[in-house]
Structures are given as C-alpha cells and as structure tokens.
Amino acid sequence: ASDVYKRQVCMRVGASAGLSLETVQSPEFVGSVVRPRALHLADSGAGVHAVNSMEYVVPGSLRPNTTSIATANGVATPPYRCDAVLNVLDKTGTAFDLSLPDAILMPESQHNLVSLGLLAQDGGVETHIKSGDGSSCLVFPDGRVVDLINAGVLIIPDASSPMYAMTPEACLLYTSDAA
C-alpha cells in the first residue's frame, strides 16, 4: 500500500475512534506523524508546562524562549514560550479552560505536558493519585474536580476528545513518506 493510503487509513481509524488527529512533519521521524491533537499528560516531575500546537496559545502571548529543557531526545531550547489554555473536562462533564502560564511551545511534541508542581505552586491545585480502583484527580481551589485517567501516565481529559479513546495505545500512529 502507498504511504498516502496508509496515512488516510490512520486518519480514518483515528476519526472513527473519536480522536481529533493531525498530520505533522517531524524531523525525528522519516515522514509524517499522525497524532491526537489533544493528549494532555499530567506530570509530577515536569518543571514547565508545554503545548504542541498554536491552537492552545493565548493570542499575543508568544515570545522568545531562552530556557533549555531536558527531553527524552536530549537537551533543547525551544524557540518560543507563551501563555496557553487547554479546554478540559471536569468530573461533571463540564468543559472549562485550564490556564498554563509561561508554557513552552513544542510543535514536535506528541502531547501537551501539564506540570503538576506548577499547578500546585501557582494555582493551588491539588493532585490525588490513587492505586488500584481508586480515582486519581485534580482538585481546584474552587472545588472543581477533574478526574485523571491513570494508564501508567496521568491523562487530563480534553473537552474535544472522548475519554475512552485517550489511552497510551492510541497516542501515536506513524506513517512514512519514504519510498
């Protein structure tokens, strides 16, 4: 099958699973990457927030970045940072905007990264991680609760994607532009 056909199949499969997908060129892979546009990982070890698309950037907030960050691919200094907003679901199914001030813009990233430490420090947000059948969640100062999907990584439900589809297995589909 041609690479164009494989990419189309990936897009159809993702769409039928309810994922909002995009195809991006990636220097890390030969060809293109098909990924969910709205996978938000909650990370207790992250020192910065990071978003992977301009759609999350607050208009007028894009600015140069000078902070180097350590990633799985080594140390990098992304060119931009911004104030960002993620549209997430609370426990009642109500969508609301989660503000991520001073986030790094990393369009090559497979997901958005939410620093749980910064949420606690700057926003007073508590993180509860439960074992077994317990419900992991974020608790906001106003009492709003966001249930987290604990799949070995903590996933914050996006308002535009169904929760059941946001599993690690659904995170990334690769296609190749190579002949």
Side-chain angles (χ1 to χ4, degrees):
S2 75
D3 292 325
V4 171
Y5 173 76
K6 288 189 271 186
R7 187 177 308 109
Q8 290 171 342
V9 169
C10 286
M11 296 299 280
R12 280 198 307 270
V13 169
S16 69
L19 294 172
S20 176
L21 297 172
E22 66 180 344
T23 302
V24 295
Q25 293 300 313
S26 175
E28 298 173 33
F29 304 103
V30 175
S32 301
V33 178
V34 179
R35 67 177 181 200
R37 295 177 66 195
L39 184 62
H40 313 313
L41 299 184
D43 189 336
S44 62
V48 296
H49 302 298
V51 293
N52 65 2
S53 173
M54 286 294 294
E55 77 178 272
Y56 305 114
V57 175
V58 174
S61 73
L62 195 64
R63 55 197 174 272
N65 172 55
T66 57
T67 303
S68 295
I69 58 170
T71 70
N73 297 320
V75 177
T77 306
Y80 299 104
R81 54 186 331 121
C82 62
D83 297 325
V85 174
L86 305 179
N87 194 244
V88 301
L89 291 176
D90 71 12
K91 188 174 188 133
T92 68
T94 303
F96 76 99
D97 288 337
L98 175 60
S99 178
L100 304 179
D102 212 26
I104 300 288
L105 178 60
M106 297 185 61
E108 70 281 358
S109 180
Q110 299 171 14
H111 53 266
N112 297 314
L113 189 66
V114 177
S115 167
L116 295 177
L118 288 178
L119 284 183
Q121 178 181 321
D122 299 339
V125 178
E126 298 176 9
T127 302
H128 299 256
I129 302 173
K130 305 289 177 117
S131 63
D133 292 337
S135 178
S136 298
C137 63
L138 299 175
V139 180
F140 289 78
D142 65 1
R144 186 182 314 251
V145 175
V146 172
D147 282 332
L148 300 172
I149 302 165
N150 191 341
V153 295
L154 296 174
I155 300 169
I156 301 172
D158 181 80
S160 66
S161 299
M163 285 175 51
Y164 70 86
M166 302 310 290
T167 62
E169 294 78 22
C171 291
L172 196 59
L173 301 168
Y174 297 98
T175 64
S176 173
D177 291 337

